[in-house]
Amino acid sequence: MFHIYCPYCEEHREEEEFHPKGQAHIQRPEDPEACSDETWGDYLFFRDNPRGVHHELWVHAVGCRKFFNITRHTVSYEILETYKMGEQPSVTAKSLSEKDKQAGVQAASGGWQTVGARPESDALNKGARV
Amino acid sequence: MQRYSGFGLVKHALSHHENWQRQWRNPTPKKEYDVIIIGGGGHGLATAYYLAKEHGITNVAVIEKGWLGGGNTARNTTIVRSNYLWDEAAALYEHSMKLWEGLSQDLNYNVMFSQRGVLNLGHTLQDMRDIQRRVNANRLNGIDSEVLDAKGVQALVPIMDCSKNARYPVMGASWQPRAGVARHDAVAWGFARGADARGVDILQQTEVTGFKILDGRVVGVHTNRGDIGAKTVGCVAAGNSGVLAKMAGFKLPLESHPLQALVSEPLKPILDTVVMSNHVHGYISQSDKGDLVIGAGIDGYLGYGQRGSYSTVEHTLQAIVEMFPIFSRVRMNRQWGGIVDTCPDACPILSATPVKGLFFNCGWGTGGFKATPGSGHVFAATLAKGQVHPLAAPFSIDRFHTGALVDEHGAAGVAH
């Protein structure tokens, strides 16, 4: 069960109030009429499906009903941050692996053994923006 | 291979069953194989079996990162049916159903295939219209299928609440008598034993870490036990297919979700068929051991963790208790999750890829178990001939660019 921090309500609420809506930051092609079948098919059907850090769109369906973004690990399920629409994620797969290098942590494949032990992630889970 | 028979059972009883042959070897990887199959679940092992049996290709390795049949093969709710709406899907699943019907004999392994019938319930007028349409389509495709009204359902399953007092009263159902359940572990073990006996190497605890690709053609794989060469590679990795595709340098239109199931404590025989409800979303059968096997829906978010949300379990049990008030005090014993690779049109991908010699069999999503023999059969033909089997042709990756989707969402009996 997720305990999700809604960046609009500014509080943690239970998972059942929310719905996942798939990958975040998908750009609609500027001119759909001029798209090739490849570009249009990619836009409609092909999604990132990472085993690791994933940026995704959620809606606070029975709360404020606003859409927002979550950065979440798809193996540990740890929520690394939540942020409003139009904002960019501060935690990415790249930034996490760089942190690991600095700390000298050897991440396992998928990195989930180490992710949960991060003190700063704990702070993120409590809703503080880093 | 030691053949199993009643006589053998008596013979081995004399030596206290201590001298049974191991069902498959644990070989060390060779340097090179004709065909490598990535993924040692039901579909992968079936592919290896039919490659050896039907096409005489025995220099084959099945590479499995965990243990044999430890993924979705052992995590599904064991339902087998073929009442799909569209011709393409119906042909593929019915092909599989026909193989199921002779599978125990063919494998000399009891897969406990029990054709106890499957009910797909309708709770609204629109459900019933869809059921009518699907049953008509099934019958035109030669698949046994009937429409039942609420009375007919009640006669088949007396313990179900088919009254008008239910929150979503049962209005009827589609009924496929040839459908049923099978023992999922036995399916993996039977195919493994049959493949191994014909010379296929099953390499467990071997994880593929990359592909060796030369001039756009696959020539082998990197694994944690060294590099292994291959002329043809087939990926049958279910939830992890997207990860493998990324290693090979392309993307698949798949999303991996956790799908959960749960079983109750064992009960005396009470439910002798399979009941599925699309509308209230729950499906249930009783295993030979006596436990109620209950399937939940997928969690909407991506997940590779082989576990899901408790809220999903709660919703499923609400549906089950709504349909079967008699089960309200049954205690649940175990709950688990598997990673399903769902496709936008809820149909599988059986396809060549941008890399020559590399084929994918994936995207079975939430309903792959029923297709195990059929999927292995057509995929083996695909790998043996280097071109896609006619039954698999509509399920190419290209369909997501041409638009020729086979949209089985909802039509397939359960909406996920």
Side-chain angles (χ1 to χ4, degrees):
Chain A
M1 179 70 87
F2 292 129
H3 207 203
I4 298 171
Y5 180 80
C6 173
Y8 294 99
C9 300
E10 299 185 338
E11 61 178 297
H12 280 86
R13 307 292 298 177
E14 284 189 3
E15 178 187 339
E16 283 204 276
E17 292 188 10
F18 301 86
H19 284 306
K21 290 287 175 185
Q23 184 186 331
H25 307 297
I26 297 172
Q27 287 279 338
R28 187 181 162 89
E30 294 264 317
D31 183 5
E33 297 298 325
C35 267
S36 67
D37 287 351
E38 273 66 35
T39 318
W40 187 244
D42 286 352
Y43 163 68
L44 282 184
F45 299 122
F46 287 71
R47 298 287 173 263
D48 289 340
N49 191 21
R51 196 184 168 93
V53 176
H54 187 232
H55 307 291
E56 54 200 9
L57 191 64
W58 285 67
V59 60
H60 196 177
V62 293
C64 62
R65 300 178 70 186
K66 288 195 171 107
F67 284 81
F68 63 98
N69 301 304
I70 292 182
T71 303
R72 193 176 57 87
H73 198 286
T74 60
V75 181
S76 69
Y77 294 177
E78 185 187 10
I79 293 171
L80 299 162
E81 64 174 334
T82 61
Y83 52 100
K84 291 179 183 172
M85 293 303 292
E87 293 178 355
Q88 289 301 310
S90 62
V91 183
T92 59
K94 211 174 147 200
S95 76
L96 275 184
S97 70
E98 272 166 15
K99 263 188 202 168
D100 285 340
K101 268 185 218 148
Q102 284 163 10
V105 180
Q106 182 74 48
S109 60
W112 67 279
Q113 281 92 340
T114 53
V115 170
R118 253 177 250 281
E120 69 271 27
S121 301
D122 200 41
L124 285 169
N125 275 342
K126 291 198 179 79
R129 295 293 309 277
V130 174
Chain B
M1 183 177 80
Q2 194 174 36
R3 278 191 71 79
Y4 296 150
S5 64
F7 174 70
L9 201 62
V10 174
K11 195 180 94 183
H12 280 278
L14 298 175
S15 56
H16 304 282
H17 296 294
E18 283 172 358
N19 297 314
W20 286 102
Q21 197 182 56
R22 280 183 179 266
Q23 297 194 357
W24 51 84
R25 299 161 294 131
N26 195 10
T28 40
K30 288 192 240 170
K31 282 263 171 290
E32 174 131 20
Y33 291 93
D34 290 340
V35 178
I36 284 180
I37 294 159
I38 303 171
H43 289 237
L45 293 164
T47 307
Y49 173 77
Y50 289 116
L51 262 179
K53 182 175 170 251
E54 309 253 314
H55 306 280
I57 300 172
T58 55
N59 187 22
V60 176
V62 178
I63 299 183
E64 166 56 48
K65 73 171 176 176
W67 66 95
L68 196 150
N72 293 348
T73 304
R75 291 164 192 269
N76 57 68
T77 48
T78 78
I79 298 167
V80 176
R81 59 185 177 88
S82 63
N83 53 351
Y84 280 65
L85 174 68
W86 298 105
D87 293 352
E88 297 86 348
L92 186 59
Y93 288 101
E94 181 60 16
H95 178 60
S96 188
M97 178 63 90
K98 288 193 174 123
L99 290 168
W100 274 112
E101 287 177 326
L103 195 61
S104 289
Q105 292 300 325
D106 185 33
L107 293 175
N108 179 232
Y109 206 100
N110 187 5
V111 298
M112 296 166 76
F113 182 46
S114 158
Q115 292 176 293
R116 59 182 66 182
V118 169
L119 282 168
N120 293 108
L121 301 182
H123 298 265
T124 64
L125 272 177
Q126 187 56 44
D127 275 0
M128 290 314 294
R129 288 185 199 114
D130 290 342
I131 283 171
Q132 287 277 6
R133 179 185 179 208
R134 183 160 49 79
V135 166
N136 285 335
N138 290 160
R139 294 172 81 120
L140 287 171
N141 278 318
I143 296 166
D144 60 320
S145 207
E146 289 167 41
V147 181
L148 300 180
D149 59 10
K151 268 191 191 151
V153 175
Q154 186 79 82
L156 273 173
V157 192
I159 57 166
M160 189 157 59
D161 181 7
C162 294
S163 70
K164 294 228 157 32
N165 303 327
R167 172 68 181 84
Y168 299 101
V170 175
M171 297 182 72
S174 74
W175 166 242
Q176 188 185 14
R178 275 162 72 237
V181 293
R183 167 119 198 257
H184 47 200
D185 301 312
V187 175
W189 298 336
F191 277 123
R193 173 167 163 270
D196 180 87
R198 288 169 173 82
V200 172
D201 281 358
I202 298 166
L203 310 171
Q204 299 182 70
Q205 304 280 315
T206 309
E207 182 167 2
V208 170
T209 51
F211 291 94
K212 284 203 281 191
I213 295 169
L214 207 66
D215 299 331
R217 194 182 167 84
V218 69
V219 291
V221 294
H222 303 292
T223 76
N224 59 350
R225 290 169 77 182
D227 294 357
I228 307 175
K231 295 187 187 85
T232 307
V233 177
C235 289
V236 200
N240 284 301
S241 299
V243 179
L244 284 170
K246 200 176 168 195
M247 287 179 194
F250 57 91
K251 226 170 162 178
L252 290 172
L254 296 176
E255 290 193 291
S256 297
H257 293 278
L259 175 65
Q260 299 182 83
L262 55 160
V263 294
S264 74
E265 58 191 348
L267 307 173
K268 290 200 173 173
I270 189 161
L271 185 62
D272 63 356
T273 184
V274 182
V275 180
M276 312 180 75
S277 170
N278 180 350
H279 195 81
V280 299
H281 213 290
Y283 42 106
I284 185 164
S285 63
Q286 190 174 22
S287 77
D288 292 336
K289 210 165 66 186
D291 30 18
L292 299 174
V293 184
I294 296 168
I298 60 168
D299 282 298
Y301 50 81
L302 293 192
Y304 285 87
Q306 295 192 319
R307 62 189 184 280
S309 294
Y310 288 113
S311 52
T312 306
V313 173
E314 195 181 348
H315 288 159
T316 300
L317 289 177
Q318 280 168 357
I320 296 296
V321 172
E322 174 72 24
M323 289 192 286
F324 297 95
I326 192 174
F327 291 152
S328 64
R329 293 194 196 175
V330 173
R331 283 167 297 190
M332 292 301 139
N333 221 358
R334 292 179 293 124
Q335 165 264 350
W336 63 89
I339 315 163
V340 296
D341 44 339
T342 55
C343 239
D345 60 355
C347 268
I349 293 173
L350 283 148
S351 183
T353 66
V355 181
K356 283 200 193 83
L358 179 63
F359 294 85
F360 266 74
N361 177 358
C362 57
W364 291 93
T366 57
F369 176 69
K370 66 177 82 66
T372 304
S375 150
H377 196 261
V378 298
F379 198 51
T382 303
L383 295 179
K385 297 188 178 130
Q387 64 183 43
V388 175
H389 186 278
L391 278 180
F395 301 102
S396 141
I397 304 178
D398 293 346
R399 71 180 190 269
F400 298 99
H401 290 133
T402 62
L405 303 186
V406 188
D407 188 6
E408 280 289 347
H409 264 301
V414 164
H416 53 245

